[in-house]
Amino acid sequence: MTDSALSDKVFDGIRVADFAWVGVGPLVSKYLADHGAEVIRIESSVRPEPLRRAPPFVNDEPGLDNSGYYADFNSSKQCVSLNLQHPDGVSIAKRIVEHCDIVTESFTPKAMRAWGMTYEDLCEIRPDLIMISMPMYGLTGPWSMWQGYGHVLQAAAGISHLTAYPGEEPIGTGVAYTDFLVPHFAASALLAALDHRQRTGEGQNIDFGQMEAAIHATETMVLDYTVNGREQQPLGAGHPDYRPYGTYQCAARGDDDDRWIAITVTNEAELASLADVAGQPSWTSLEADALDSEIASWTRTQQAEELMEQLQSAGVPAGVVQTPEDLRSDPQLDHRGHFWMLDHPTMGHRAYDGPSFRLSETPADLTKAAPLLGEDNEYVYKEIVGMSDEEYVEHLVSGAFD
Amino acid sequence: MGELFSSTLPTIIHAMTTPTAAGPLAPFRVIDLTNELGQLAGRMLGDLGAEVIKVEQPGGDVSRFIGPFRGDVVDPEYSLHWWTFNANKLGATLDLTTSRGQDLFTRLLNTADFLIETCPPDAAAALGLGVEAVHSSHPGLVHTSITPFGREGPYANWKATDLVGTAMGGLSSLCGAPGRPPIRPTASQGFTQASAQAVVGTLIAHYQRTKSGRGQHVDQSMQEAVTFTHDNASPTWDIRGINNGRPGNGREIGGYKSGQYVYEAADGYVAALSYGGLFGLTARQTIEWLDHHGMAEDLTSEEWLAKLDATQGILIPPTGEDGDHLNDVLVRFCKQFTRAQLVAEAQQIRNGWGIVHTPKDLLENEHLAAREYWTEVEHEEGHVTYPGPWAKLSKTPISIRHRAPRIGEHTFYVYGDLLGFSVDEIRSLASANVI
């Protein structure tokens, strides 16, 4: 048994060169970093990672080391600054890769090709490398050079088509949804490839087209079309098989009159329990639309959290439509220790999201807040890459580390 | 196969009873005891090459009765839900409520590397699925539980549908229009998120096992999985004390609302952020593009350019009157052109517009066709087109190797080949309704 087998850090000894940006890439490497891998983010002040320039900023002061958006996705990681447009940029990047097990990137495919850093190129310096490329539309095909965002990709993948009020425009979710969906697929492919390498010594390349993974989140939408020729339609909060199944407005909480509860009924027993909690035995024989109106009138006088407790105690699947604020005081998430409070040199004591699963023996450990841009230059360039003090200063002065 | 079973077992035993190894996880076996909350997890492990054995209750899993159905015929073998989430799995039945059934289950686990289940926490012990019980008898097993709120904690025994998951995890508060009811995607994202994140946790535990030889428990909560989807809402509350809300047809980032992002084209809808790029890093090019079509209106002025070009500044889009004006210009522009022309021209100036695809659009999409995405899967009733692999691995490709199992299809493989029972013994188990 090696020393690493005794470590409680799952990915102890695994080093990642993380060229990826925005959501999908950083959220993949976050899984690795939060479980002990040494993840080195490779960024530049010349063309900053877009999330470093996106709000929320502490004190509403924009700054590359002040974005909560960036911070939340980059816990437990290191960061070097490196200008890949600088004449020495690519050769330095390759010297980092030489010491890495995994390369992640999420540019359109022409970027890595232009830099001479495709999988084939990088394999020459690191034959057992695992590389995952995560462009919107994959490494090949007529749309491969297209740009995009998670907000747009949810539309392209068919998710927005199913996310709307009935008969209205396809608004999609209010978030860049695929950014928070496809990282799990990408990480799964990457971890399976890592297992394969562990057993065989063989690395490989992963062409991860975000759209192709996202289509797997549309449930039966594809087969209903290919088998039945039917285009499924959005139902608002609703469900094709169950009613009542919706969100209902509750009584105001203080000044906040935007309190809602999800109430869902999947069988007769739950319907009877709902009617019982409401004190309305006749509800069990009401027609669905009429019942919906009755529930909506009733919930408007009820406090959302109390109603949730009552309904759950009676065995009815129900839950408050929780806001970000609510999540911070949710007793169940608190029990599971979802939020991690970490100290950041410029942003202070801030909440970070941990992974949603608990491993009984080797749980996640968010070891540090997000890195400052270039925070780990000295360590990475000198101790990992092996630059002398003179060479380090030379590159610093020449602008290679911008 | 014994003639005794001809009425209850399928007459066609597919070649899949000796599956071809493919994919990085080919050496491993998964026992899948999940309902709709976790079925995608086993499906993903199966796609990655693992041999996944779906264990159903005698008579067939309840999720075989989830619609839609092929030809709208309600039949446990025609559920498209079952087909979608159980492709790449083998199937066998087992009654876990009997002690004989639990004994068989234990033997089955002895042959397995992974167990994934969605057992309600308060029923786990009675079914022999308690964390300690499983671990002490199978110390090398990675045991993954997918439950609505987690195996422990104050809400552990609460019930949740997908909507309750998207509500309690915070996604629904970010979906829908202001003043109107919060919504969810009509395809279940609570289940999807819980399953997909459970696979990540499972494979992390698996990697640890390759070093230590020891398995462990992975406790996946749907509610907590949904919290992953908040985008920037969590740090926005933490830092600014503002709840991102339901933006309707819009975007909200860091507590700042921007204009609409889905626009009506001549033949459907397109999606484009930051007023279609009129604001942001490609503002100049976007204004030139509209101007080329004679539709930039007053945006070509230096005054507007100074407000819109964000190449040197920060990424907070204009709101109020300025935002409304940008939006109006773009609404007028988009209506004049088809989706394909709008998106192709936008992409030429490196502006990330996209088409809002319907299911039909997707199946006819040239890009997915060029990447040979769609996969034909053989069914007794003919070939069926499925979504293809969700990643292309160069050395150990993942694939959709075969359709979902019919009820009891792999009974002889599982109880005969794997557990070593004779045909007579399997018959007597079936007669006793254990399998």
Side-chain angles (χ1 to χ4, degrees), chain B residues 232-244:
Chain B
N232 54 68
S234 179
T236 296
W237 171 259
D238 187 56
I239 289 171
R240 303 192 71 221
I242 293 173
N243 280 317
N244 281 348

Side-chain angles (χ1 to χ4, degrees), chain B residues 73-111:
Chain B
V73 176
V74 179
D75 181 303
E77 301 297 359
Y78 281 172
S79 161
L80 302 184
H81 178 94
W82 178 262
W83 287 12
T84 297
F85 292 114
N86 293 285
N88 275 348
K89 298 182 190 176
L90 309 181
T93 55
L94 183 61
D95 185 354
L96 271 174
T97 63
T98 64
S99 60
R100 188 80 182 103
Q102 287 188 25
D103 174 55
L104 286 177
F105 188 69
T106 297
R107 294 199 203 190
L108 201 49
L109 285 188
N110 286 339
T111 75

